[in-house]
Amino acid sequence: MRVMAVFAHPDDEIGCIGTLAAHAARGDEVMLVWTTLGELASQFGDKSHEEVTRVRREHGAWVARRIGAQHHFFDMGDSRMTGGRDEALQLARLYARFRPNAVITWSDDHPHPDHRMTAKIAFDAVTLARIPKIINEQGDEVAMPPAPDLSGDTAIESGEDVRRLDAWREPVRFYQYYAPASPYPEVFVNTTDTLDVAAEVMAYYHAFYGWQWSAEQYRAARVDLGRLAGVGAAERFNLRAAHLRARDYLD
């Protein structure tokens, strides 16, 4: 199984980090994706964009390494996302490469516009990734030329290394952070075995941001969710589907 988490800013992923760590520990492929660098965080002061990029990439690499995941940054502009086609197309091309079976992202109604726009393009990209002519556009909706036949050639000349993407048409289960107003069914994931790792990631960001919300409070919140679901600790999502799948038997 391949799981992709798509969020706007580094640290957004702490709401599902236990779930991602559990999948990685099981041997699934996991990719963390951020649509922006979160460069407007006040902790950066007047640092240059280059310096912010360096620090944020360090953050992403550390978290991904800690849970055993791949990671990818886009630079769509902190608090400047529009939710438009170009942003969705960038993500769709990444879907076509990674080929996720499940995507986790923000809810549709979060107050931060980047969070809402990230959820929008994450959903739009599922459809765009299914259409070969779209994901292989070269710009301005012009089709990319066919990949050249390099058989027998000893070297690739300029312009000949065009890589065409295969569309990703398999079903994608689309999970979003739980929102009380969501019309979609809720799903709990047992994160008892990955609670320590999740709390460590939260503490890593806590050291950077200086949040009042502590790793201990984070841990307690996950335990409270676990009580609702009958496990030691849990994370909670909405699955963008009309109904949950049928089960073989009642619990």
Side-chain angles (χ1 to χ4, degrees):
M1 182 177 182
R2 291 176 298 278
V3 181
M4 181 184 285
V6 182
F7 293 105
H9 317 102
D11 79 63
D12 289 352
E13 72 279 6
I14 61 174
C16 68
I17 203 69
T19 298
L20 299 180
H23 276 280
R26 191 177 74 168
D28 295 333
E29 292 185 58
V30 175
M31 177 178 279
L32 273 163
V33 178
W34 297 279
T35 57
T36 84
L37 296 161
E39 65 269 22
L40 296 186
S42 58
Q43 286 75 11
F44 288 114
D46 295 328
K47 288 184 172 63
S48 68
H49 190 73
E50 290 73 21
E51 176 65 8
V52 171
T53 297
R54 182 190 67 78
V55 173
R56 283 310 205 187
R57 291 191 183 281
E58 286 180 357
H59 289 170
W62 186 92
V63 173
R65 187 167 57 247
R66 183 64 188 85
I67 67 170
Q70 303 173 52
H71 71 285
H72 184 90
F73 275 98
F74 292 104
D75 190 2
M76 298 181 185
D78 190 357
S79 298
R80 295 176 176 86
M81 291 187 65
T82 66
R85 184 180 185 276
D86 179 67
E87 294 168 353
L89 181 54
Q90 291 180 61
L91 188 56
R93 287 174 171 151
L94 188 59
Y95 283 6
R97 293 183 176 92
F98 184 70
R99 306 169 78 80
N101 306 111
V103 168
I104 306 174
T105 189
W106 273 106
S107 63
D108 295 323
D109 60 353
H110 193 277
H112 197 304
D114 280 353
H115 296 180
R116 295 196 308 275
M117 295 304 99
T118 295
K120 180 182 184 299
I121 69 168
F123 189 65
D124 291 349
V126 173
T127 296
L128 296 183
R130 297 174 63 86
I131 305 173
K133 289 182 179 179
I134 289 180
I135 59 171
N136 286 298
E137 289 173 4
Q138 65 178 4
D140 297 325
E141 302 185 22
V142 176
M144 182 184 293
D149 180 4
L150 301 177
S151 58
D153 289 354
T154 57
I156 298 176
E157 297 179 3
S158 176
E160 289 188 332
D161 56 347
V162 177
R163 178 185 175 187
R164 291 183 63 81
L165 295 169
D166 293 326
W168 178 234
R169 292 177 167 173
E170 296 297 318
V172 177
R173 303 272 283 175
F174 197 83
Y175 294 89
Q176 298 179 269
Y177 279 163
Y178 172 76
S182 173
Y184 302 112
E186 63 184 62
V187 174
F188 289 87
V189 176
N190 183 357
T191 58
T192 306
D193 293 340
T194 55
L195 179 57
D196 289 343
V197 173
E200 185 179 341
V201 171
M202 192 277 175
Y204 175 77
Y205 281 120
H206 182 275
F208 174 75
Y209 288 105
W211 292 324
Q212 292 184 345
W213 189 43
S214 68
E216 291 72 24
Q217 290 171 307
Y218 172 88
R219 182 187 292 270
R222 295 298 177 269
V223 171
D224 286 344
L225 285 177
R227 291 192 185 98
L228 291 178
V231 295
E235 291 172 346
R236 191 182 196 181
F237 307 96
N238 292 113
L239 173 63
R240 194 153 178 162
H243 307 283
L244 296 177
R245 289 176 176 173
R247 60 189 70 193
D248 292 329
Y249 301 97
L250 296 176
D251 290 334

